[in-house]
Structures are given as C-alpha cells and as structure tokens.
DNA sequence: TCTAAACTTGACCGTTTTAGTCAGGTATGA
DNA sequence: TCATACCTGACTAAAACGGTCAAGTTTAGA
C-alpha cells in the first residue's frame, strides 16, 4: 500500500507553485530545478492538473503556470483525483463468480475495506493546499 | 495507493480460519475452496504468518493451521506486517542529494506524508481479528 | 508398514504498473 | 525571429504483482 510518485510530485509541485505564483507565472523548469523532478515528467503531471482545472497555463516566453483557484479550495483529494492517484482497497469485479461480486454475496471482509477506504479518503478531503503552505511557514519561523 | 492481494487474502483467510478452528485445525485446502484463493498462493501467505507467530501449523494427515493467539490480540497491523504489506508514503532515500534525505533538508511535504502514514496505521492498530468476526456475525443476524 | 493428506520450501514466470525518457511539435513575448 | 515555455504522444527499462510449478518432509490412520 503505497503512494505513487505521481501523486507525491503533484503535491510537491503545487506547494512550490503556490509559494511563487503571486507575481508571475511559474515555469515548470523552475519547479523541476527546485524540487528535483524531471521536467518531462512534470509536464505529464501538469497536463492532468490543467485538465482538472487546478492550474492554468500561460504559453510563450515568460509563460508558466498559475493556480486557478484559491489554495483553500484545492483539497488533496482534488489533486490526487486529477493525477489518477486512487485509493483502491478492493478488487471485487462485477462478473466474478468466486468471492465478492459487489452484490449479494459480499466477501467476508468487504465492510472492512470500505471502512479503510473511507478512513483514508477523509484525510484527503480535509487537507487543503493552504494547510500545507501554512504548515511550511510555521516550520520556517 | 492500493492494497495488495497478499494483504487482502491474509485477512480473508484468517477470518475464515478463526471461524472454524474451535474444534480441529483447518487445512489450507478448505480455505482455498471456501475463499476462492489459489492453494499455492495461500501456502506462501501462511508461511509468513507462521514465521510471525500468528498461526501454528500441525503437520500430517488431518493437519492444518490454528491461530496461535486470541483473535482479540491479533491486530490488522500484525497481519499486514507479517505479509510485508507496508504503508509507504515517502520514498526519501538517505543518500539522495536532491529533495529529502531524511535529515536537515526535509522535502517540503514530508510532514504531510508522515501524517498520512500515521492516519492509516492508526486504523490498522485499532482493528483486531475479533472485531471482524463480530462484524460478520452482526451482519448474519 | 504403507499411503494419502497436509505442510514446507524455493525457484520460476507472464503481465501490469511505475516512473520516467524521447522526439517531436505549437504559441508568444521581447 | 528566436528563445522560452507549454503541449502531445509514443516508447521503454525495471520493478512489483499475482500467481504457478516442482520437489520435497511429516504424520495420522488403515
């Protein structure tokens, strides 16, 4: 049970972006250098973040990315959803005969996995980008 | 972020085992049939559970496995630990120069991942095998 | 004593996912 | 007009996953 680097990088990059986007758009190149993430990989990630309306892009020279919402309104769950970082605790397929088919004959531990999924997702729904920036500031003082 | 089938199967098998081990040891063959898990794979899993003192084996004809502790004393965290189902949210290596090396220059989101790990692990530490059996009984009534 | 049931161990392997790289673009401010 | 930066899609090496297969050892019961 582990977090993928896509999800981790997305959050890191957005925290970085949030710190610098007051004045100018931030280029992926800068984020790449500061965070040590490959530029090509960042482009993949930001393409998804853009599709999900978390960031906006400004093309051309001196271009870059800016947040498209207030950091308070960007929850972890939005970010993870954008980059396909899903929480999957069950693998019960609808057409399986053995075990759980999602209907009548639930596998004996099905409730447990549902609980676990909710437990994790509640964490993601609570945390906003703003929380992370604040947290960082506190640690810096 | 997903649960591996090893962890999932381990819990399913142990719940099954807990239900039947009052009288006789339970053979993996029976569990395999009831839960739809490959016998060979179950053997790998139970080998690990045995090494971690969660079950005991009785060899020979009419043999099988029994729990080596009271279901109340077997927490999910014990089971997952036994089958190497770890919760990994960070991949910060000690010798990395960029990003987080675990010491002075923590990556900017390090605290977040620690929080997440604790959040998930607290769930595993609370739940015992006994809880799952009870839960099952309630659903049956 | 023999045999079948059940545990034991370890090697092996196809598939999928991960974590990127690479190679081309297109848009635009200076 | 050109350097900068976004944009897109194909490609891939390596690791993890989810098992299978083979060859045992041990022991209860006939």
């Amino acid at each position: 049970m582990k977090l993928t680097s896509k999800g981790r990088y997305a959050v890191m990059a957005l925290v970085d972006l949030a710190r610098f986007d007051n004045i100018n758009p931030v280029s992926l190149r800068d984020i790449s250098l500061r965070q040590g993430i490959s530029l090509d990989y960042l482009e993949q990630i930001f393409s998804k973040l853009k599709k999900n309306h978390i960031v906006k892009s400004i093309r051309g020279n001196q271009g870059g990315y800016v947040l498209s919402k207030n950091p308070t309104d960007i929850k972890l769950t939005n970010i993870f959803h954008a980059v396909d970082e899903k929480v999957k605790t069950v693998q019960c397929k609808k057409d399986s005969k053995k075990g759980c088919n999602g209907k009548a004959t639930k596998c004996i531990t099905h409730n447990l996995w549902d609980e676990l999924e909710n437990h994790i997702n509640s964490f993601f729904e609570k945390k906003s980008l703003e929380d992370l920036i604040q947290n960082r500031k506190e640690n810096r003082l």
Side-chain angles (χ1 to χ4, degrees), chain A:
Chain A
M1 163 136 258
K2 68 183 178 209
L3 202 66
T4 66
S5 72
K6 211 161 219 160
R8 194 164 41 236
Y9 286 170
V11 175
M12 287 170 67
L14 285 174
V15 171
D16 187 290
L17 179 58
R19 290 174 62 212
F20 289 92
D21 89 339
N22 300 321
I23 313 138
N24 296 313
V26 181
S27 76
L28 292 191
R29 192 159 175 284
D30 288 351
I31 298 179
S32 165
L33 290 173
R34 279 194 294 260
Q35 303 301 328
I37 305 168
S38 132
L39 177 59
D40 286 311
Y41 203 26
L42 269 180
E43 277 170 352
Q44 279 186 40
I45 294 170
F46 272 76
S47 155
K48 297 190 180 207
L49 292 175
K50 188 187 171 186
K51 272 181 197 151
N52 285 269
H53 312 292
I54 292 171
V55 295
K56 279 186 286 195
S57 68
I58 291 139
R59 300 186 69 156
N61 195 352
Q62 300 300 322
Y65 286 94
V66 290
L67 293 178
S68 64
K69 299 185 212 172
N70 197 295
T72 322
D73 298 326
I74 302 176
K75 307 289 185 190
L76 276 197
T77 192
N78 305 131
I79 301 173
F80 283 147
H81 181 260
V83 297
D84 303 312
E85 175 84 57
K86 294 168 210 152
V87 179
K88 270 191 165 182
T89 54
V90 275
Q91 193 62 296
C92 304
K93 288 177 186 169
K94 286 174 187 172
D95 54 351
S96 81
K97 302 203 172 176
K98 281 278 180 183
C100 179
N101 56 16
K103 288 188 179 180
T105 50
K106 278 192 178 182
C107 49
I108 53 181
T109 48
H110 197 108
N111 289 336
L112 174 68
W113 311 131
D114 277 349
E115 267 185 73
L116 174 55
E117 231 175 84
N118 291 337
H119 183 76
I120 297 174
N121 281 324
S122 77
F123 183 87
F124 293 153
E125 276 156 24
K126 273 179 208 153
K127 285 276 173 189
S128 74
L129 202 52
E130 178 67 20
D131 295 333
L132 301 182
I133 302 167
Q134 289 306 324
N135 186 276
R136 174 169 175 75
K137 280 182 187 159
E138 280 164 27
N139 286 341
R140 284 238 137 180
L141 293 177

